[in-house]
Amino acid sequence: MSPTRRELEAWDDAHVWHPFTPHSVYREEDPLLVVRGEGNHLIDPEGNRYLDAVSSLWCNLFGHRHPTLNAAIAAQLDEIAHATFLGNATAPAITLARRLVEVTPDPLTRVFYSDSGSTAVEVALKIALQYWQQCEGGARRKRFLTMANAYHGDTVGAVSLGGMDLFHARYAPLLFDTLKAPCPDTYRRPEGETEEAFHARCIAETTALIRTHGDELAGVFLEPCVQGAAGMITQPPGFLRAVAAAAKEAGTLLILDEVATGFGRSGETLFACQQQGVDPDILCMAKGLTGGYLPLAATLATEPIFEAFLGPPVEGRTFFHGHTYTGNPLASAAALATLDIFEEERILEKLPAVTEHFAERVESLRDCPGVGDVRRWGLMAGIEIVADKASRRSYPAEERRAQRVCRVARDHGVFLRPLGDTLVLVPPLSIQPEEIECIRAALAAALQQVCGDSS
Ligand SMILES: *Cc1c(COP(=O)(O)O)cnc(C)c1O
């Protein structure tokens, strides 16, 4: 017999250490216990259904238990679950590499697998550093430029690249130094500066940093178009293109972290760089890669980068990196099925209409109590709540207002997870118009209840 809710909660409290979770308030904040999924919904032990408005942390694309994905994983299970990819090969991971090269910008020709967004970033970091050491005259390129408030994952290299003090400050003794460009947070721009002037200044300061330090930079790391974990901070129009041009001019590598922005989140193209017409030298992907089913990540690189790693084995140019489960066949089969679904169900063709409706309904929340800012790029949105709209004053952190808004929204059938005081909406690409309406209504009711006292 399967354990009861009561037993599971007791064992959870006794034995589990949850990720990014303050345990002193874990139980009182009433976590959702998920036992099943169906389409865009999560289901608890009592059979209550909750719309998965964050796509199970931004990775689910087509809903839960999609028949194509389930069948692909089951079929692969009948072949083999896992065999090593170290100096060795398995069929699904090879086929997937070919498909990924087909669907990404032309200069990217090589696929290195790992298991999460963080590891995809670690791989990019180490490839870039080693690449320059193995290039004529490249040895002085050792630094990386990243954005303030960036989030590239939670492993130590990715944390060094990141800039979110709440997540990162503790680990300072372990971290290496990076150059930080200012985060283009339009809502928090200096008093009296227009949006246009602020945007122009962000672009100018970032490109100037790249120019000034151009010949010591191993790479420029960027979450293109939107800094997700920073609170869905959207970049000014033309930002990515300007940074890409500056990186090219400086002769350094442009490394795009599309862990969050990839797989249709732009609402138009598979990757954000394609929407912006930018070709990165290295591209990191994870979250949506398996449709939100299994842990898999990929770091794609250009042929010249790959070639710098060639040479007689004794020369030590090999990329000494890889994990036990690198190139896992089950995860690769899920990723292949994900790409099949994009084609068979013509997902990208349908996305602009979904995105337009989503944009309009999210924007309509701007007048709700407590809403300071509404930020959106494609099918990713952040709603920042504040105690005072006029002065943009934040709520005291200990009030955990956004967390409370999300908890109330759950009573209206919508599951959300905030980032600080920002309510986050990253629905599955398969979200239906009436489900978008359900999210809007749940949030409007929750904001009224939790932020009705804000001014
Ligand atoms: C989520 C995220 C990561 C980390 O991915 P994990 O799979 O959680 O390790 C890295 N970069 C960006 C932009 C992300 O959103």
Side-chain angles (χ1 to χ4, degrees), residues 55-72:
S55 299
S56 291
L57 249 298
W58 318 357
C59 62
N60 190 283
L61 299 179
F62 318 118
H64 300 278
R65 288 175 37 228
H66 190 290
T68 307
L69 274 156
N70 279 22

Side-chain angles (χ1 to χ4, degrees), residues 144-218:
F144 290 91
L145 182 128
T146 66
M147 305 295 293
N149 288 326
Y151 184 76
H152 293 291
D154 59 5
T155 51
V156 170
V159 168
S160 289
L161 295 169
M164 296 184 64
D165 280 349
L166 176 66
F167 297 165
H168 298 153
R170 289 260 184 237
Y171 309 105
L174 294 176
L175 308 182
F176 57 82
D177 179 47
T178 60
L179 269 170
K180 289 265 182 293
C183 174
D185 185 348
T186 308
Y187 182 58
R188 298 285 173 193
R189 71 186 179 279
E191 199 80 48
E193 188 170 17
T194 66
E195 251 182 56
E196 291 69 27
F198 177 71
H199 287 171
R201 187 163 61 81
C202 287
I203 292 175
E205 286 182 9
T206 303
T207 52
L209 262 179
I210 296 171
R211 268 194 297 276
T212 309
H213 298 274
D215 60 1
E216 51 172 320
L217 286 180

Side-chain angles (χ1 to χ4, degrees), residues 58 116-118 121 151-153 223 257 259-260 287:
W58 318 357
S116 75
S118 306
V121 166
Y151 184 76
H152 293 291
E223 296 166 77
D257 176 354
V259 170
K287 290 193 169 95

Side-chain angles (χ1 to χ4, degrees), residues 221-285:
F221 259 95
L222 192 67
E223 296 166 77
C225 298
V226 56
Q227 288 187 226
M232 298 295 163
I233 306 294
T234 51
Q235 290 161 1
F239 186 86
L240 175 59
R241 279 191 295 274
V243 168
K248 198 177 185 72
E249 206 178 304
T252 188
L253 301 178
L254 177 67
I255 305 166
L256 294 184
D257 176 354
E258 293 232 31
V259 170
T261 53
F263 296 95
R265 284 286 156 211
S266 72
E268 295 175 51
T269 52
L270 204 54
F271 293 95
C273 59
Q274 293 164 323
Q275 183 200 42
Q276 301 291 312
V278 163
D279 292 344
D281 300 291
I282 298 180
L283 177 62
C284 304
M285 61 179 75

